[in-house]
Structure formats: structure tokens, C-alpha cells
Amino acid sequence: MSAPEHIVFVTGRLARARLEKVAAGLPETFRWSIADAGVKVAALMTEEIIRRRVELPAGATRVILPGRCRADPEHLAAHFGVPVERGPDEVVDLPAWLGLSARKVDLSRHDLRIFSEIVDASKMSVAEILAKGQDLARRGADVIDLGGLPDTPFPHLEDSVRALKGAGLKVSVDSFSREELARGAGAGADFLLSLNEDTLDLAFETDAVPVLVPTRPDDLPSLDRAIERMREAGRPFLADPILEPIHHGFVDSIARYRDTRARWPDIAMMMGTGNLTELTEADSLGVTALLVGMCSELAIRNVLIVQVSNHTRRTVEEHDAARRVMYAAKADSALPKGYGRALLALHDKRPFVQTSEEIAQAAAEVRDPNYRIAVAEDGIHVYNRHIHRVGTDAMAFFPELDVASDGAHAFYLGAELAKAETAWRLGKRYVQDEPLDWGCAADAEVEDATAFKKAGRTRHSGSDAPPPGTRDARLVKPEADAAPPETIPEEAARAEASPERPQGPKTKLVCGRLVPVDQA
């Protein structure tokens, strides 16, 4: 029998108490230790500090670094001789990250093909169509759909198809004109949208795969007849019963998808989601998640999407994120919960990672003039060695902050406090100096997790302020006033966290500070 795993959590002095509390709540089957590197802020630990100051206990099998630690896990793994991983940014997420309260999931897989339509392709040049198609593919589209417009000539259709194909892209042609569909197929289009039983002969004149639709949305028998004809001929096809907008047959159209799948359990199907996302003035991410969930249940593995309205500008990314979440949840026979934050744009499931009491305790330990900003359920906290204020209006903090003569610092704090207020009002996570996470609704910044951020300006003004344009935390050597490194074994930490241990005097939060109850 192999020896049980022994995890070592590396941390700094400020986060140690919170880490002990969380780790002490892990199941008894987990063996762990906490390695305090002797620095105040874990995010400022360097590889050199960790190599020199952290000693692993006997039997250690894995090392977990704080999520914001900029050390290279591979380099440290070579040094310690055991695997080293970067854990979550927030201590409260550690159980989920370890797979205890949520799944560690693989979102690299999906089974839904995205057709992304260029609706006004006939009005664009070949170069513009190619650039647009490549951009859509970069965002997650699998097939670039060239949309024709009624009574609008498309003389460069063939050249457009060939340009996209030459770039390695799959292409579909979407037109009411049989002549345009034939031209697109002749140029090498992979799919034709959309044929019904009256225009189905074209499907036998080309190798392009047709998407079959009913002659009218409510005429499912006509779709059945087209399906039967293609199946008898042994030809590939997709079937689309047509999704209709709200108040114009939406519920009935959903029922038609269900009925079609029930009658034809093994055929390939498509759903065009634009009639909901485009024609409903609501944030499209939730609408998309719901429709992709329906596709997952009904084994519909193709969607046609469009982006015309400004509120659907991220529709490709939204469908791409939703298909990955739904695939993973279906593979686990689970609800689509606990599969990451990509589908959460406005609100976070767990927005506040510290309580107001925990922030007050951290504020009481600060001995420098640098302002810290944090958000808890009771509002925005701003503190340094002189003050700790709590409020909900970013602008109301200004009289309390000694930055009237420091425009650069005032600008920085104003921007951060406005971001913190947005996070508090929406129920989103806030981390000072980090952008808010908008899920798949906005591009996330890609950064080097092994390098520190560029210098900025966060320090309080005054005689001990840093030179202009520098970030104070980066001016302080990480080992300045460092305590000796210490490794706390699991048993000792559990004992410290046990409710049986002696408790100090009861305290209460008053004006952002913890004071004894009898003084409150």
C-alpha cells in the first residue's frame, strides 16, 4: 500500500491564520503542514526566498503555493524533488481547488459545433470577410457562415468561400437564393443553409452537407419528409426545426425540437440561437447558457449564431464557454454548477472572501502608511496604519485620505475605490490592483504568473512616500522584518483551530475596528 499524501501549504505571515483555519477544516484523510516562509505578504515571496527559507517536513509529497506567488512551480519542484503547484488566489477557495467542495473539471472538451454567421457578407470585400472569419474562429467559431441578403448581389461569393477555405476554415453558405447556394457549393462550401423539401434537389447536386428546415416553422411533417428522403439516400444532413422569438412561437418551437429528437433519436440537429439572443433585450449570457443547456439535453450538436446587436457582441465567446460547461456537467451527470466562473459575468457565487472581522484583524497588524482596499459584505474597507474606514460610496472616502497634495496617488485610489464600489454593489470579487473578473463577457488579461506586476503607485503620500511612478510594495524588500521561517504540522494547527482551545475576550466591530465588547 502506498504512503498517504502529505501536502505542504506555503504561505506568508498575514495569511497564515486564515490558512490554518481553512486547512484545519479539511477532512481527516488529508495530511498537511503549513510552511511559513517568514515574509509578511505571500504574494511577494520569490523562488530564492522559498528555496532558502522553506524546509519540507519528512514525507512531504506535494507543495502548494499561494495563487498570487510569482515563483515558478517547475523550478521549485526540481529543487524540492516533489510536485509543486500554484493553488487558488484566495484561501477560502482551497477546499474547492482540492476537489473537496467542488469538482476539478476539464473544460477543454465539448461536442457542440458553432456556426458563426457573417450576416452582411455580400456588402463586404473578400479581404474583410477573411479577416472577419479569422477573428470569429479565434473567438471559438468552428464554421464561418456567409449570409446572403435578399435582393443584394453577391458577385464575390465564390472568391470569399475560396479565401476562407484557403485559410483552413470550414465554410457554410446561408441564402434564400437557390442560385447562391449552388454557387457556394461549387466553390467548395462545406454546408448549405437552409433547404426544405421544395429545394432539396440541390442537396443531391453537391457534396456540401445541407441543413434541413420545415417549409414553415409549424410544419414539422415537411421536415420529416425531407429527413426521410436524405436518410433513404444515405446522405449526411443536419435538421433544424427553427427556434422562434418570444411571443412569436418560442415555446412551441422548443417543443418541436423535443418532438423531432423523439422521432429521430440518431440524426444530427442544429439550433439557431439568434432569434433569442438578438431579439431579447436581456444580457445574452444567461440566454445562451439556457439554450446551450437545451442543446446538451437534446444532443443537438450544432448551433447557428449571429452577432448584430451590440448587446450580443460576445456571443461567440458565450456559446464557447457554455458548450464546455454543459459538456462537463453532462459527462458527470451533474447540474451545471461548480464548473468555473465563465458563465458568471455580473455576480459571483462567493463574492466576499473575507469577513469584516478578518479585515479588521488584518488592519490592526498594519504598520506602514500604504493604503489597502478590501471588500466585505458590509462595504468597502480602506486602511493603513493610521485609519480603517468602512463605507459604500467610493467618493465619500476622499476627505479621510491624506492625498490632497498627491494627484497621482489620489487618481490611483479613486480608480481602485470606484472598482471596489462596483464589485460591492454587484456582488463580485474585488482584489486590489487586479481587474474585475467578468467571466466570458470580457477578455481576461493574460499575464506571466511567474513575474511580478509592473510598478505602480499605491503608497500614502508623505515624507516616507516612494518616488513618483513606483509601487510601494515593490520597494520593500520581501525579507525586510521577516520572522524566522516555520513549518506548522497538521496536528498542531488542528489543535489551535479547535473550538476547545481557550478563547480571548469577546470583540465587536465598531467603526471598522475590533474592540472588547465591554468597550463597545
Side-chain angles (χ1 to χ4, degrees):
M1 180 180 294
S2 60
E5 184 178 36
H6 183 163
I7 301 176
V8 177
F9 301 110
V10 179
T11 191
R13 191 191 315 159
L14 290 180
R16 173 176 158 179
R18 294 176 63 214
L19 179 57
E20 287 179 359
K21 180 179 178 181
V22 171
L26 297 177
E28 297 289 342
T29 52
F30 268 79
R31 292 195 60 211
W32 52 266
S33 301
I34 295 176
D36 185 341
V39 300
K40 181 180 291 186
V41 181
L44 297 183
M45 290 188 297
T46 64
E47 287 180 33
E48 181 62 23
I49 290 175
I50 295 172
R51 281 196 298 266
R52 289 193 291 105
R53 300 181 67 85
V54 171
E55 294 184 8
L56 301 186
T61 59
R62 183 162 53 132
V63 176
I64 307 297
L65 303 175
R68 296 190 181 94
C69 175
R70 305 320 247 188
D72 190 318
E74 293 185 4
H75 293 173
L76 292 175
H79 170 76
F80 288 120
V82 298
V84 178
E85 304 171 41
R86 181 175 284 104
D89 287 350
E90 304 295 345
V91 173
V92 294
D93 294 329
L94 189 58
W97 187 85
L98 291 170
L100 299 176
S101 58
R103 304 167 183 83
K104 294 189 72 173
V105 298
D106 176 11
L107 295 179
S108 66
R109 300 178 297 163
H110 64 82
D111 61 357
L112 186 68
R113 181 165 47 193
I114 295 175
F115 289 66
S116 186
E117 182 178 359
I118 303 176
V119 295
D120 51 355
S122 57
K123 296 182 178 181
M124 300 168 63
S125 69
V126 174
E128 290 171 335
I129 289 172
L130 177 58
K132 180 68 173 179
Q134 290 175 320
D135 179 62
L136 292 171
R138 177 187 62 80
R139 295 171 181 270
D142 303 295
V143 181
I144 307 305
D145 183 61
L146 297 178
L149 297 173
D151 303 319
T152 303
F154 199 163
H156 51 299
L157 172 60
E158 290 90 343
D159 289 339
S160 300
V161 172
R162 284 190 283 264
L164 292 169
K165 293 289 292 182
L169 302 175
K170 294 284 188 181
V171 182
S172 61
V173 175
D174 189 351
S175 176
F176 292 110
S177 168
R178 188 184 189 284
E179 183 262 340
E180 281 187 348
L181 291 174
R183 288 170 52 206
D190 301 281
F191 300 89
L192 298 180
L193 284 71
S194 302
L195 302 180
N196 58 40
E197 65 174 341
D198 296 331
T199 58
L200 194 55
D201 287 345
L202 180 59
F204 297 90
E205 301 172 10
T206 175
D207 291 330
V209 176
V211 177
L212 309 181
V213 297
T215 54
R216 298 188 317 275
D218 61 349
D219 187 4
L220 271 190
S222 69
L223 177 60
D224 289 336
R225 291 189 292 269
I227 291 172
E228 288 175 350
R229 184 176 173 190
M230 294 299 292
R231 283 170 62 91
E232 289 173 358
R235 302 291 294 269
F237 65 91
L238 309 178
D240 184 356
I242 303 180
L243 185 69
E244 296 191 277
I246 293 172
H247 297 151
H248 291 271
F250 168 61
V251 173
D252 287 342
S253 66
I254 290 295
R256 289 196 292 269
Y257 280 94
R258 180 202 60 197
D259 293 345
T260 299
R261 174 53 75 206
R263 289 197 303 278
W264 305 100
D266 59 347
I267 65 169
M269 292 180 64
M270 170 182 277
M271 176 183 287
T273 60
N275 276 347
L276 259 290
T277 58
E278 287 284 330
L279 302 180
T280 306
E281 288 194 359
D283 290 330
S284 58
L285 181 52
V287 177
T288 296
L290 181 62
L291 293 177
V292 173
M294 291 181 182
C295 288
S296 182
E297 279 202 8
L298 295 172
I300 297 172
R301 297 193 171 94
N302 301 272
V303 289
L304 173 65
I305 68 175
V306 294
Q307 191 274 298
V308 177
S309 303
N310 285 327
H311 78 282
T312 63
R313 68 184 65 198
R314 299 284 293 186
T315 190
V316 180
E317 291 87 345
E318 292 171 3
H319 281 80
D320 181 50
R323 65 180 173 177
R324 298 173 189 277
V325 169
M326 297 305 169
Y327 181 91
K330 188 173 184 177
D332 292 339
S333 299
L335 297 171
K337 291 170 62 70
Y339 289 90
R341 299 163 66 185
L343 301 182
L344 293 172
L346 291 181
H347 316 294
D348 276 321
K349 184 177 179 180
R350 193 171 186 179
F352 308 120
V353 298
Q354 290 179 280
T355 65
S356 57
E357 291 81 8
E358 289 171 334
I359 295 174
Q361 290 171 349
E365 298 180 15
V366 171
R367 299 293 181 265
D368 58 65
N370 309 324
Y371 286 114
R372 280 80 166 175
I373 303 172
V375 174
E377 194 162 0
D378 62 339
I380 307 161
H381 292 243
V382 182
Y383 60 92
N384 65 3
R385 70 186 179 192
H386 300 298
I387 69 167
H388 179 188
R389 299 291 183 267
V390 183
T392 58
D393 181 353
M395 300 303 293
F397 285 99
F398 183 76
E400 305 275 359
L401 307 177
D402 185 16
V403 292
S405 61
D406 188 344
H409 192 201
F411 180 89
Y412 163 78
L413 288 176
E416 280 297 315
L417 286 167
K419 186 174 69 177
E421 181 180 341
T422 297
W424 180 77
R425 293 190 181 281
L426 289 178
K428 295 186 66 62
R429 285 196 177 185
Y430 169 82
V431 178
Q432 189 171 355
D433 291 331
E434 298 287 341
L436 297 180
D437 185 348
W438 299 103
C440 68
D443 286 335
E445 292 185 7
V446 179
E447 61 179 357
D448 182 358
T450 66
F452 287 107
K453 291 181 178 293
K454 293 181 180 180
R457 186 179 182 90
T458 65
R459 196 170 188 173
H460 181 286
S461 304
S463 60
D464 55 354
T470 59
R471 178 169 292 171
D472 62 289
R474 304 302 179 251
L475 298 177
V476 181
K477 292 182 179 180
E479 291 186 88
D481 76 352
E486 180 181 3
T487 299
I488 304 96
E490 169 191 0
E491 293 78 10
R494 286 192 193 276
E496 287 185 14
S498 171
E500 286 79 21
R501 69 179 179 178
Q503 301 293 316
K506 292 185 177 181
T507 59
K508 182 178 180 180
L509 186 68
V510 177
C511 297
R513 293 186 180 276
L514 285 178
V515 299
V517 170
D518 58 2
Q519 296 180 16

